[in-house]
Amino acid sequence: MARITLEHGEQLADPQAMAAVLAPLGVRLERCVPSPTPAVAELLERPQLDEAEKERLLTLLDPVIAPLVEPDGLHTRDIVVLHRGIEGLDGILVPFARAHRHDDHETRWIVDGEGVFGFVRPGGEQMMLTVTAGDFIQVPAGVEHWFVLTEARRIKAVRHFTDKAGWVPRYTGTPLRM
């Protein structure tokens, strides 16, 4: 279940309180728990997936997530599978861990593991939103943010895009304080 840590240390776990803090940014956060079918569970349990397994998992999950992504015209999708056993994981994560914006929404459905989205709030205060399996997040175009893994160092996240170019950052150079 998602939780927010504000820059001054306050933590929020109540969905209404989190929605109030995310509203000025336009960030959408919802719960969407994957179907517990044996085929989905078996693929989610694997730390690594080859390309065929990724596509199979996406196909199994498409009907569950469709109501959340189709209204926004999010027609391109993939799945990111990261875990501590990946050689060079720290280097792979560097581009995500710097403050940036996108010209497209950044939409993620966390289906396994966990990660942290950091945000720069209006006025410059920063906050961290920890997302876990079953959390669906949409960061609107233009919102300054970054992403890191938690100490668990494991995540499977379905990404949806309106632009076929996919994930394209515009780095802001904002120093991160959290």
Side-chain angles (χ1 to χ4, degrees):
M1 205 83 169
R3 63 189 178 281
I4 291 176
T5 303
L6 300 173
E7 190 168 348
H8 61 273
E10 181 181 359
Q11 297 210 356
L12 307 172
D14 174 69
Q16 289 180 323
M18 289 191 303
V21 169
L22 294 171
L25 297 169
V27 173
R28 179 176 160 199
L29 177 66
E30 297 184 36
R31 288 291 294 166
C32 183
V33 179
S35 171
T37 66
V40 169
E42 190 268 327
L43 289 166
L44 290 178
E45 286 174 13
R46 293 182 185 190
Q48 222 168 272
L49 299 174
D50 64 26
E51 292 306 312
E53 292 166 330
K54 287 179 182 179
E55 188 56 39
R56 181 166 180 245
L57 180 57
L58 286 167
T59 300
L60 291 167
L61 295 174
D62 281 344
V64 179
I65 197 66
L68 293 178
V69 297
E70 287 178 355
D72 292 325
L74 302 169
H75 47 75
T76 302
R77 49 103 166 112
D78 66 12
I79 187 165
V80 174
V81 178
L82 299 172
H83 57 87
R84 68 177 70 245
I86 294 176
E87 189 173 326
L89 179 62
D90 289 335
I92 292 167
L93 296 171
V94 167
F96 307 107
R98 295 171 42 208
H100 61 275
R101 294 182 168 100
H102 302 284
D103 294 330
D104 193 3
H105 295 312
E106 181 163 345
T107 301
R108 304 291 179 265
W109 179 29
I110 312 306
V111 294
D112 181 56
E114 58 189 26
V116 179
F117 280 89
F119 295 98
V120 178
R121 298 171 70 187
E125 183 181 352
Q126 297 179 8
M127 70 176 177
M128 306 284 275
L129 170 64
T130 302
V131 290
T132 63
D135 289 329
F136 172 85
I137 181 172
Q138 186 175 70
V139 180
V143 170
E144 190 174 12
H145 67 282
W146 65 94
F147 178 82
V148 295
L149 289 178
T150 65
E151 290 182 21
R153 310 280 289 164
R154 186 187 89 246
I155 197 165
K156 287 184 185 82
V158 178
R159 309 184 309 171
H160 286 86
F161 307 99
T162 56
D163 180 352
K164 291 188 182 196
W167 190 86
V168 180
R170 288 188 294 117
Y171 294 107
T172 64
T174 299
L176 305 183
R177 297 186 301 271
M178 296 188 74

